[in-house]
Structure formats: C-alpha cells, structure tokens
Amino acid sequence: MENPKVPRLTLVGAGPGDPDLITLKGIKALKAADVVLYDALANEELLDFCGSHAKKVFVGKRAGLHHYQQHVINQMIVDHAIKYGHVVRLKGGDPYVFGRGHEELQFAEKHGLLVDLVPGVTSSISVPALNQIPLTRRGINESFWVMTGTTKSGQLSSDIAHAAKSSATSVILMGVKKLPEILEIYTQSGKANTPAAIIQNGSRPDQKMVIGHVANLQELAIKNNIGSPAIIVIGETVALGKEKLNNTLDQIEWSS
C-alpha cells in the first residue's frame, strides 16, 4: 500500500508578471506540487510547469477583487494539503511584501503542515529597475521606502507623510485609488516638482507607464487611463528613467 503524502505547504513568489522572472526554486516547487492555489497577479503561464496530475485552483486575490476571502484561502490550503499532499501557494511578487504570505504560513503551520517559503522577485524593486529607474543612486538619495497606499482599514498609510519629508525614493503599492491624496501630501512637503511615475502591469507585455512630476502625475494618469495593478514611484531617481522612452513611446508618456 502506498504511503500517504505528508501535508505540506510551499509559498512561492511568482514575481512581478513576466513568467521568466520566477526563481528556479519556484519552478521546482511547481513541478513537485499536488495542488496549486494561484492568485490573479501570478502569471498563468507558470502553471505549465506543473505536473499533469496537479490540481490548479484560482483563488483570485487582487486589490478590489477578492474571489475568496483570506480566511477561506487559509482553510483551503489546509484542506487541500490534508487531502492531496503538497500544496503550492503561488502569489504575485514576493509573498512577504504586502502579500499576506506570513499569515498563510502561520495558519498552515498551526494546523500541522510542514511549511516552506520560496521568495519571489518583488515588483517594488524589479518593476522600476526594468524601466531603468534605480531606487538608489549615489549622490542623489540614501534610501528607498516601500509602502502600501491603503492600510487594512482602508485608510491612507501614515508612513507616506514621513517618506514625503525625506530624500528617499518612495515606492507605493496599492495606491492608485488614493493617488490624489498621496500627491497632495508630497506637494505640501514641498515636492511638487519631484519626478514621479506610475507603472501599470509592470514587466508584462501590456505594461503602461507615465513619468512626470508630483504636480502633473494625476493628469498624466487620467490621460493614459492608468489603473490597477500599478506601482507609484516618487523621487529624484525617477528622472533617470527618461531614457527608457526612446523605444517605447507607444506605452510610455514623459512630461518634463
């Protein structure tokens, strides 16, 4: 009689969207999975790495569109692991950067599952880099901040006001719906002329980006129909992404 499979969970970061940006360890986990629970932000092409026996379940978490609530997903992880064995939870970006991965891992461990984590390429760093926007540059800034635009209560993060007073490059996730509020904070901090960008669907073929300044970024976003999922980048280093426009004028608008 075949031994039953040990219930276990592997959290895998899928990267920002380009399927080539998943790690080799992440691919190995997908190949070994009995079940894959995947998010809306995880590129479905990655499911091609799964074995033919693997069960694939869409759980559809995206800002403003939750196919399943978090507590339901937590329980699904446990139930599928007990029934099938190895569950891979495939999450966009990195599971530990505003991905609620630690909550899922803790819940699984509490219910007796073996757990493992495969870090992912986070959009907060990789998407600006892919568009030649460095988050740090010698002589320009000394740090960068990665923040959520919207807290658990639905309010604007108070950290944004602190970041606006610094020379740090600010990377704001889940902030497009609060863009006017964010830009007003930076304007009040004397940053109206600071370079700023919004990048939607970063690393994907349908990426759209606008680069301007705090004072006109909202106008550019509306003109170019920029929406979620997108990241906002504010800081002097954003101006260094201007050269990216040369060959992609159909996808990017620059305003000096």
Side-chain angles (χ1 to χ4, degrees), residues 172 188 201:
I172 303 167
Q188 291 178 358
N201 293 323

Side-chain angles (χ1 to χ4, degrees), residues 112-131:
L113 273 61
L114 299 178
V115 297
D116 196 10
L117 170 72
V118 179
V121 176
T122 174
S123 62
S124 59
I125 296 175
S126 62
V127 168
L130 289 168
N131 291 284

Side-chain angles (χ1 to χ4, degrees), residues 28-149:
K28 289 179 178 178
L30 287 171
K31 288 181 177 179
D34 297 306
V35 181
V36 178
L37 305 180
Y38 65 99
D39 278 353
L41 294 179
N43 195 313
E44 291 191 19
E45 289 183 32
L46 296 173
L47 300 178
D48 293 341
F49 290 112
C50 299
S52 58
H53 71 287
K55 180 179 180 180
K56 304 159 189 172
V57 183
F58 174 68
V59 293
K61 284 184 68 62
R62 172 178 283 177
L65 177 62
H66 287 184
H67 192 69
Y68 291 101
Q69 293 184 337
Q70 185 63 53
H71 73 275
V72 176
I73 294 174
N74 292 347
Q75 192 61 53
M76 288 176 69
I77 290 171
V78 172
D79 292 345
H80 280 80
I82 292 172
K83 184 174 181 179
Y84 297 104
H86 184 197
V87 172
V88 166
R89 179 74 171 96
L90 187 63
K91 301 174 72 68
D94 180 273
Y96 272 26
V97 180
F98 298 115
R100 303 188 72 170
H102 191 252
E103 296 175 41
E104 296 178 5
L105 186 143
Q106 272 194 321
F107 187 88
E109 194 168 37
K110 179 181 176 181
H111 286 78
L113 273 61
L114 299 178
V115 297
D116 196 10
L117 170 72
V118 179
V121 176
T122 174
S123 62
S124 59
I125 296 175
S126 62
V127 168
L130 289 168
N131 291 284
Q132 299 178 20
I133 297 174
L135 296 188
T136 62
R137 175 69 182 264
R138 186 173 58 176
I140 296 180
N141 67 330
E142 299 171 4
S143 65
F144 65 90
W145 292 39
V146 178
M147 299 163 284
T148 179

Side-chain angles (χ1 to χ4, degrees), residues 15-19 21 41 43 122-123 126-128 130-131 198-209 227-231:
D18 181 344
L21 291 177
L41 294 179
N43 195 313
T122 174
S123 62
S126 62
V127 168
L130 289 168
N131 291 284
I198 303 181
I199 309 168
Q200 179 182 356
N201 293 323
S203 83
R204 292 177 179 265
D206 58 346
Q207 173 183 290
K208 292 196 293 183
M209 180 170 76
S228 298
I231 69 170

Side-chain angles (χ1 to χ4, degrees), residues 124-125 127-145 166-171 186 191 193-199 209-214 231-244 254:
S124 59
I125 296 175
V127 168
L130 289 168
N131 291 284
Q132 299 178 20
I133 297 174
L135 296 188
T136 62
R137 175 69 182 264
R138 186 173 58 176
I140 296 180
N141 67 330
E142 299 171 4
S143 65
F144 65 90
W145 292 39
S166 75
S167 64
T169 301
S170 298
V171 181
Y186 280 82
K191 300 288 184 68
N193 294 321
T194 299
I198 303 181
I199 309 168
M209 180 170 76
V210 293
I211 303 179
H213 295 82
V214 167
I231 69 170
I232 302 164
V233 190
I234 302 174
E236 296 299 335
T237 62
V238 173
L240 300 175
K242 180 178 180 180
E243 291 79 7
K244 178 69 177 176
W254 166 268

